[in-house]
Amino acid sequence: MNALPHEDQLSPEFSARVLRDVSMAKHTSWHAGGPADIFFAPRNAGDVAAFMRQLPLSIPVLWVGLGSNLLVRDGGFRGAVIQTHGALGALERISATRIHVEAGVPCARIARQCVKWGLGPAEFLAGIPGTLGGALAMNAGAWGGETWKHVAEVDVLDRRGQRRTRLPADYRVGYRSVEGPADEWFLGARLEFERHPGINGDAIRELLERRKETQPIGAWSCGSVFANPPGNHAARLIDRAGLKGFRIGDASVSEKHANFIINHGAATAADIEALILHVQHTVESMYHVLLQPEVRIVGEPA
Ligand SMILES: Cc1cc2nc3c(=O)[nH]c(=O)nc-3n(C[C@H](O)[C@H](O)[C@H](O)COP(=O)(O)OP(=O)(O)OC[C@H]3O[C@@H](n4cnc5c(N)ncnc54)[C@H](O)[C@@H]3O)c2cc1C
């Protein structure tokens, strides 16, 4: 593809450093999806702020952590993707019960380090294969734990490259949903835990074992596709609708966990999206419940 409309709009420094036309299949756990026009891997928070300052406001921006909750359509993303994983990697203890974490740190690393520090409950983060940034954007959670239960402050960057610190009161946080000021992204957070002096790695191992028993770990997926509707379980409804194993192209509803959609190797984003819509329509027509996707779907169709 040579139509990269934004190419000549970057400052010379960043024009030389960005990658162009990068397949998002390489940056998402579904391993599907089209190219990003511009792909930028910052060195640190100051670097990403400088990038945002010189990026014309007309260019759309998508921040990506580990792409474990993201479907980029096959036509790709007409704008700039910013990858936090690999940069924004600080993780430090700043008081007896408080830690500072940058957005690109994998959740599993936070869980392991908190165990070493004797802090908890952070074990729930161990099985979430994303970054803190993604967990803040999604209010990721598992086994009763939830990211925002631990947020004391967040550091954000706006579209003009301005950094500021915000409090939880600036956000409307719900189950797998976080609404805050528009056009801001998370650089990091201060998280508050309790002292759990006796805790050790067994707590994490047990949770990961339980996960392996019930979820198709290792297969290409984005975890649960739909949020659980109030008082019900998306997986239960999809299973009852007889959809386990239902296949479109190379994507199918997992036999092991009905709320997972698996890419068997060659699924397109269109296969996956068509399957999402099929599941949604089938469950709605049988049970009058409209399942809402938890995964974020972005970009242009092919
Ligand atoms: C096998 C498997 C199991 C899973 N289990 C769970 C689970 O138990 N609980 C759960 O909640 N989720 C689960 N997930 C989903 C996923 O891991 C989480 O939603 C995770 O928090 C996403 O993080 P990420 O870094 O991969 O985000 P991405 O997928 O890269 O991005 C997700 C969204 O967050 C936005 N985003 C990313 N970084 C930032 C940032 N710094 N600032 C602002 N916005 C940002 C993106 O633009 C996008 O809209 C699972 C996924 C898989 C594959």
Side-chain angles (χ1 to χ4, degrees):
M1 190 167 88
N2 50 21
L4 299 178
H6 314 307
E7 186 162 351
D8 51 4
Q9 297 180 41
L10 303 180
S11 73
E13 182 205 339
F14 289 109
S15 187
R17 283 181 53 204
V18 298
L19 300 173
R20 298 182 171 82
D21 210 10
V22 170
S23 168
M24 290 305 292
K26 291 188 196 144
H27 295 282
T28 54
S29 59
W30 253 324
H31 297 265
D37 283 354
I38 294 170
F39 188 92
F40 180 60
R43 294 176 182 138
N44 52 43
D47 194 34
V48 70
F51 179 78
M52 291 290 257
R53 277 198 289 278
Q54 59 78 56
L55 189 72
L57 292 173
S58 58
I59 299 182
V61 170
L62 174 69
W63 283 46
V64 172
L66 281 161
S68 63
N69 209 41
L70 189 63
L71 182 64
V72 181
R73 293 192 177 98
D74 299 306
F77 182 71
R78 299 288 76 76
V81 166
I82 292 173
Q83 184 189 39
T84 61
H85 178 55
L88 304 182
L91 171 58
E92 57 193 336
R93 188 175 186 174
I94 53 174
S95 79
T97 54
R98 192 166 284 197
I99 67 174
H100 168 74
V101 193
E102 283 192 313
V105 175
C107 293
R109 197 177 141 217
I110 303 173
R112 285 195 306 270
Q113 190 57 54
C114 280
V115 164
K116 285 186 192 152
W117 283 327
L119 295 177
E123 308 86 86
F124 72 94
L125 289 168
I128 297 173
T131 59
L132 176 73
L136 288 169
M138 302 301 309
N139 192 20
W143 310 114
E146 242 180 26
T147 305
W148 276 82
K149 282 185 188 166
H150 302 282
V151 173
E153 289 177 338
V154 288
D155 300 319
V156 297
L157 185 70
D158 71 16
R159 187 58 186 80
R160 293 173 191 277
Q162 191 74 37
R163 290 157 77 165
R164 60 171 64 81
T165 297
R166 290 196 179 278
L167 298 171
D170 296 326
Y171 298 85
R172 251 200 11 224
V173 177
Y175 162 66
R176 303 291 174 273
S177 115
V178 180
E179 288 170 37
D183 286 335
E184 280 188 3
W185 295 271
F186 298 109
L187 290 170
R190 254 77 59 213
L191 303 178
E192 182 75 23
F193 293 100
E194 292 159 23
R195 300 185 77 147
H196 282 193
I199 195 163
N200 61 42
D202 291 347
I204 288 180
R205 270 188 292 280
E206 272 164 35
L207 287 185
L208 294 181
E209 278 306 314
R210 271 157 75 188
R211 211 172 248 275
K212 247 199 250 166
E213 281 162 21
T214 53
Q215 298 180 1
I217 302 301
W220 289 355
S221 84
C222 257
S224 290
V225 171
F226 297 99
N228 286 323
N232 213 325
H233 284 102
R236 189 184 303 150
L237 291 167
I238 299 166
D239 189 1
R240 282 207 194 133
L243 287 165
K244 271 188 172 175
F246 188 88
R247 192 171 184 124
I248 293 182
D250 216 17
S252 78
V253 175
S254 165
E255 297 276 3
K256 194 163 182 184
H257 191 305
N259 201 9
F260 278 49
I261 286 179
I262 306 296
N263 174 2
H264 295 277
T268 60
D271 292 338
I272 294 169
E273 194 171 5
L275 192 49
I276 291 172
L277 289 173
H278 179 78
V279 169
Q280 209 177 23
H281 291 155
T282 307
V283 168
E284 191 183 18
S285 64
M286 290 176 76
Y287 300 110
H288 312 290
V289 176
L290 181 60
L291 294 176
Q292 298 294 344
E294 178 183 315
V295 296
R296 302 287 177 88
I297 304 174
V298 301
E300 311 294 324

